[in-house]
Amino acid sequence: MQDINQPTGFTPAQRWVLGLAAAGSFMAVLDAMVVTTALDTLRHDLAASMEALEWTVNAYSLSFAALLMTGAALGDRFGRRRMYVVGLLLFALASVACAVAPGTGWLSAARAMQGLGAALVMPISMALLGAAFPPAQRARALGLFAGITGLAVLAGPLIGGAIVQGLAWQWIFWINLPVALGMVWLTLAKAPEGKAASAPLDIFGALLMTVSLLGLVWGLVRGNRDGWGSAEVLVSLGGGAVLGALFVASQRLRAWDAMVPPRLFRSPVLAVGLAVSFLLTASLLGTLFFMAQFFQVVWHLSPLAAGAGMLPWTATLFLVAPVAGAMVKRVGEKALVVAGLGLQAVGMVWLAALVRGDAGYWMWVLPLAAAGGGISMAMPAVQSAVLGAVEPPDMGKAAGLFNTLRQLGGVFGVALVVAVFTRVGGYASPQQFGAGFTAVLMVTAALSLAGAAVGWRLKPRAAQGNTAAIQGVKS
């Protein structure tokens, strides 16, 4: 057994768990990132409307967010390694369906299927990580996890641009197949099985939560086309809210064996961490949706050049996140979250001023790096706060909640910036697109500042090394 008083030394078994968990996150994030550089190509090749482009991003996020908690519960009930493999296989199959899609309708449906696979992979990867590393090591492991995930953010736009320009957009999905199949083999060979002690499956709660989130996300996405006062949008949002309230009530009735037990929220750290993750992801994905398009529509860059143009922003995610993870224990989650999201907001406002002033690309490098570095500081800190707020048997549920709020944040961010862009800008001319993108950057800056304000309330508890609990989960 690993000595929890030696936080810097990982055992071989821990390294395998870290590598496999990070690889699952890497694959899911890479898929989202390569799609961002293909949006302008999809707009031309498939004659896609703004709504269709939004669905290529949000169909994935919709099914992902709606089924994350179910995925975490299935992992706890039937075994985390087993369900991790099922998620990888489903993701691979859905990627093939995306690659052969003849139109935007098929592509959106296949992207929704990808979200189902990711809904198993993402929460279980964090649960595997939380169970394998005791509190004294967890912050450093999460920093490395975020750094490897950041490598997907770094490589994604560049890989996506190179594939779209050199081959075809379909190949951004074909690349998932060998990666997922290789991970299946390694997971079966190297990852330990693990599940929660009782691991109940709250089917009624899962249905309520799924339908509630589907209603909320559908309303957010359709609001831009049909109008926020339309009957469809109001019924969708209202129904989702009512079902969400029923879900909360059902969890209080089930108490200990609920999908989201009320005991999880005895510490205010969890609620604050979830709110921060929602706002952080809303800002990040809202910006990503239009960044590569700006380079291609306004500056007329190729997909490859557009992906390369984002490197000063994305590269910092790989470089800063591991350092920030190592700093959590010394400076605390609050300082990194507040400073990081504040720096992200400064970078977005700076970029908005440059767009308005029609500045050359070399002037973009520093604000892009500042924004990327800021969000890289906040990511591992908020992950550490969320996992540190619960006991080891509840880490699967906490990871599911964390990733659910992240995906909902992404859907909200994309829906919000599309609404703003549609009102202020458009594709008719580079000037019109630039005006819309300037407004988008100001909105994402405001989301980052809101996240920093919420993060100011973060008061994480001291790490506790409950050896018995950790051993029980790992076994």
Side-chain angles (χ1 to χ4, degrees):
M1 172 58 62
Q2 169 74 20
D3 182 0
I4 64 173
N5 294 317
Q6 299 296 326
T8 58
F10 294 162
T11 66
Q14 285 178 319
R15 294 191 191 102
W16 274 111
V17 171
L18 174 60
L20 290 168
S25 176
F26 178 96
M27 184 175 65
V29 172
L30 181 69
D31 190 77
M33 293 297 297
V34 295
V35 167
T36 63
T37 51
L39 289 175
D40 192 59
T41 300
L42 291 172
R43 184 168 67 92
H44 291 288
D45 288 0
L46 300 180
S49 64
M50 174 66 79
E51 183 186 11
L53 292 179
E54 190 177 358
W55 272 115
T56 61
V57 175
N58 279 341
Y60 177 84
S61 299
L62 191 155
S63 59
F64 194 175
L67 296 169
L68 266 167
M69 289 305 302
T70 304
L74 289 171
D76 286 344
R77 175 67 179 272
F78 297 110
R80 291 169 182 161
R81 181 181 66 182
R82 181 180 296 113
M83 297 312 298
Y84 194 65
V85 167
V86 171
L88 290 170
L89 291 173
L90 183 57
F91 195 91
L93 178 63
S95 297
V96 173
C98 288
V100 299
T104 55
W106 179 311
L107 179 60
S108 295
R111 289 281 288 162
M113 189 190 299
Q114 273 191 315
L116 299 181
L120 286 170
V121 170
M122 288 296 285
I124 295 174
S125 69
M126 287 186 67
L128 288 170
L129 202 63
F133 292 89
Q137 295 177 312
R138 195 172 297 138
R140 179 168 176 259
L142 283 170
L144 292 170
F145 176 86
I148 294 171
T149 303
L151 181 59
V153 179
L154 163 65
L158 192 61
I159 290 175
I163 292 173
V164 170
Q165 185 173 331
L167 297 171
W169 63 264
Q170 290 87 348
W171 282 93
I172 65 177
F173 299 109
W174 282 118
I175 61 174
N176 291 329
L177 187 60
V179 175
L181 294 180
M183 286 180 59
V184 166
W185 180 72
L186 288 172
T187 299
L188 291 173
K190 298 294 184 180
E193 186 57 279
K195 61 183 73 175
S198 55
L201 186 60
D202 181 7
I203 297 176
F204 180 68
L207 288 173
L208 276 179
M209 186 176 193
T210 299
V211 178
S212 169
L213 293 178
L214 283 171
L216 293 172
V217 173
W218 183 268
L220 285 173
V221 173
R222 299 289 285 186
N224 287 318
R225 194 195 76 167
D226 297 338
W228 295 99
S230 68
E232 178 186 351
V233 172
L234 291 176
V235 169
S236 180
L237 294 175
V242 170
L243 290 172
L246 289 175
F247 170 75
V248 172
S250 74
Q251 300 305 285
R252 291 186 179 278
L253 289 175
R254 291 183 66 97
W256 179 261
D257 64 346
M259 176 179 287
V260 185
R263 67 178 181 275
L264 291 182
F265 295 96
R266 289 173 185 166
S267 169
V269 173
L270 182 63
V272 172
L274 294 176
V276 170
S277 69
F278 178 93
L279 293 165
L280 182 154
T281 312
S283 176
L284 178 62
L285 290 190
T287 307
L288 281 173
F289 188 83
F290 282 107
M291 180 73 77
Q293 291 190 75
F294 173 82
F295 288 144
Q296 294 174 73
V297 173
V298 177
W299 289 356
H300 307 293
L301 298 182
S302 67
L304 177 58
M310 296 169 66
L311 283 176
W313 183 29
T314 57
T316 56
L317 295 170
F318 174 61
L319 299 172
V320 176
V323 177
M327 291 175 62
V328 166
K329 189 175 180 181
R330 186 165 66 251
V331 304
E333 288 93 342
K334 175 180 175 179
L336 291 171
V337 167
V338 173
L341 289 178
L343 189 58
Q344 158 83 352
V346 169
M348 293 296 100
V349 173
W350 194 346
L351 288 174
L354 294 177
V355 173
R356 201 160 32 233
D358 197 25
Y361 175 75
W362 66 272
M363 294 185 67
W364 282 53
V365 174
L366 189 55
L368 282 172
I375 214 160
S376 301
M377 292 167 60
M379 276 183 178
V382 71
Q383 288 174 348
S384 177
V386 167
L387 289 184
V390 300
E391 297 299 327
D394 286 328
M395 284 180 180
K397 296 180 175 67
L401 270 176
F402 177 78
N403 283 293
T404 296
L405 266 291
R406 285 206 311 180
Q407 293 306 310
L408 285 177
V411 171
F412 174 77
V414 171
L416 180 61
V417 298
V418 167
V420 171
F421 180 86
T422 301
R423 183 175 295 271
V424 178
Y427 289 94
S429 68
Q431 292 75 22
Q432 189 182 36
F433 192 99
F437 187 52
T438 299
V440 164
L441 290 171
M442 296 303 294
V443 169
T444 57
L447 290 170
S448 293
L449 286 177
V454 174
W456 190 262
R457 299 175 58 85
L458 203 57
K459 297 178 181 178
R461 68 177 186 176
Q464 298 176 6
N466 190 333
T467 308
I470 295 166
Q471 289 175 342
V473 175
K474 292 179 72 173
S475 64

